[in-house]
Amino acid sequence: MKNSEVYHERQKLQFCLVHSLNSLFQQKDAFTREKLNGISERLALEDSSTETWTPFSVLFKPHHNVFTGNYDINVLIAALEEKGKSVVWHDRRKGASCIDLDAPVLMGIVINVSVTRFGGIWKSRHWIALRKIDGVWFNLDSDLPAPLPFHDAHKVREFLDFTLAQGGEILIVLNEKQS
């Protein structure tokens, strides 16, 4: 498998969830800003704890930032569920060794990491997709210039353990909805 055959989107603003989901599904526009914004709006309407409207409500939505993107976990889960997938939050106490990277039901992995940009001025979170394509695991991070293949499953687990050690979160994406 050549890297050029793997679909990979590059980072724009803070739309890394859009890029991660499209890379995970290996399809341009599997998800769009408009689609994720709609999910975010629906979640805000369904959330009974949503605060009353203020002038800042136009910019700062409960589940995303209108200008930069920066969607939260609720949008990720709802988006994947709409496509018949489910998300399992990995128990960080167990490490990556207990993740079955060859499970037939495993679609891929989405991780959420802390990032610092602009010389430490800007701190936020970043979504990254990992997926096995034709027997090879790839890091599909939208901050990378191209998909990065892992040498083997051991290297994937090392990367995931490093992610956990740095305070990252691991979300296992399954090809079926959990009941």
Side-chain angles (χ1 to χ4, degrees):
M1 162 81 28
K2 296 179 183 174
N3 285 4
S4 62
E5 297 173 11
V6 175
Y7 183 77
H8 175 255
E9 287 189 3
R10 293 295 316 269
Q11 184 74 18
K12 292 180 186 157
L13 297 174
Q14 286 188 304
F15 293 106
C16 52
L17 184 57
V18 175
H19 307 311
S20 293
L21 288 170
N22 289 339
S23 294
L24 184 68
F25 279 83
Q26 288 294 285
Q27 179 183 348
K28 179 182 167 79
D29 294 332
F31 292 93
T32 62
R33 278 177 63 181
E34 293 75 22
K35 178 70 174 165
L36 294 187
N37 287 349
I39 291 170
S40 176
E41 295 293 331
R42 187 190 81 230
L43 290 171
L45 290 173
E46 293 171 358
D47 186 0
S48 61
S49 67
T50 301
E51 297 180 18
T52 57
W53 187 90
T54 70
F56 293 111
S57 300
V58 174
L59 302 177
F60 302 105
K61 305 288 184 175
H63 301 287
H64 82 288
N65 179 299
V66 173
F67 291 117
T68 64
N70 205 14
Y71 301 93
D72 73 8
I73 182 68
N74 300 294
V75 177
L76 168 75
I77 291 170
L80 288 168
E81 286 178 348
E82 283 186 8
K83 297 274 191 180
K85 311 300 179 193
S86 63
V87 178
V88 176
W89 208 305
H90 178 69
D91 183 347
R92 66 184 317 104
R93 297 170 297 179
K94 295 181 180 179
S97 62
C98 70
I99 299 172
D100 183 358
L101 297 174
D102 296 316
V105 72
L106 178 64
M107 178 188 193
I109 297 170
V110 176
I111 61 176
N112 188 255
V113 297
S114 179
V115 293
T116 303
R117 300 183 194 273
F118 307 114
I121 296 171
W122 185 268
K123 292 183 182 183
S124 66
R125 306 288 296 179
H126 181 64
W127 296 104
I128 300 169
L130 306 180
R131 179 147 183 199
K132 189 176 189 179
I133 302 167
D134 292 337
V136 177
W137 276 96
F138 285 89
N139 180 340
L140 302 169
D141 185 350
S142 58
D143 278 341
L144 295 173
L148 182 66
F150 289 97
H151 180 69
D152 57 25
H154 177 73
K155 293 294 184 189
V156 176
R157 286 191 179 91
E158 280 182 355
F159 177 76
L160 293 173
D161 280 331
F162 175 80
T163 298
L164 289 170
Q166 299 299 312
E169 300 293 340
I170 297 175
L171 303 144
I172 309 299
V173 181
L174 304 174
N175 277 316
E176 58 188 30
K177 276 187 144 177
Q178 301 292 305
S179 48

